[in-house]
Amino acid sequence: MMELNDFNAVRDALRELGLKQGFELGDEEAINKFNDEVPFDSRWICYYADDWNEKLEERLHDFFENMRDYQDTMAKEDIKSASHSFLLAVICAGSLRSFFESIEKDMDKLLAGEHQTTDFQWPQFDNE
């Protein structure tokens, strides 16, 4: 069973679903070749060979570090440094948003079965 805070388990679950649909998301060479041949909005976004836990931890660390720097410099009334740290925190927040948006976009592709080459089918639900 997947740990609720384990993004590598999420990555692996998406890779497994990709395999059911006929492609290996962890094969960076094949994915890069595929991405070169399709429109930008159809590309796979996540890097499935990366350590997702580590990537998220790094982004959270950077965000919190910049917010701490912001608070420290505001307390010292160093507004110039505070604004710089705050700007960096905003950039880090965008990086965190991007991390989750990338996962969401790839999950949408898997849900729609956009690129599948197998006969894998999600169950169809009627409107009863």
Side-chain angles (χ1 to χ4, degrees):
M1 180 157 226
M2 181 186 313
E3 291 287 327
L4 291 179
N5 60 352
D6 185 351
F7 278 92
N8 286 334
V10 171
R11 177 202 62 204
D12 294 345
L14 299 182
R15 283 180 68 170
E16 286 178 32
L17 181 54
L19 288 172
K20 288 185 185 311
Q21 293 184 8
F23 44 87
E24 168 55 85
L25 290 168
D27 183 345
E28 287 190 51
E29 188 175 311
I31 293 300
N32 288 337
K33 183 178 184 306
F34 174 86
N35 282 346
D36 288 344
E37 297 171 357
V38 297
F40 185 77
D41 60 348
S42 293
R43 293 179 179 177
W44 294 103
I45 300 173
C46 297
Y47 295 99
Y48 291 86
D50 286 355
D51 183 326
W52 286 11
N53 290 329
E54 184 179 295
K55 295 290 181 194
L56 180 58
E57 188 175 309
E58 288 170 1
R59 291 175 189 201
L60 284 169
H61 174 269
D62 291 347
F63 173 76
F64 288 127
E65 186 170 300
N66 285 302
M67 286 304 298
R68 274 191 299 275
D69 289 347
Y70 159 76
Q71 289 176 312
D72 290 346
T73 52
M74 281 298 282
K76 296 173 186 167
E77 297 185 11
D78 180 354
I79 302 303
K80 184 175 181 182
S81 295
S83 67
H84 177 68
S85 295
F86 194 78
L87 174 62
L88 292 175
V90 170
I91 292 168
C92 290
S95 176
L96 285 162
R97 180 188 65 234
S98 164
F99 177 84
F100 290 103
E101 283 180 343
S102 296
I103 294 171
E104 177 191 16
K105 287 179 181 176
D106 278 6
M107 289 177 78
D108 282 342
K109 285 184 192 73
L110 288 164
L111 183 61
E114 287 182 30
H115 307 299
Q116 78 180 52
T117 59
T118 66
D119 60 0
F120 175 84
Q121 292 292 318
W122 291 107
Q124 300 300 308
F125 299 101
D126 53 20
N127 294 332
E128 292 179 5

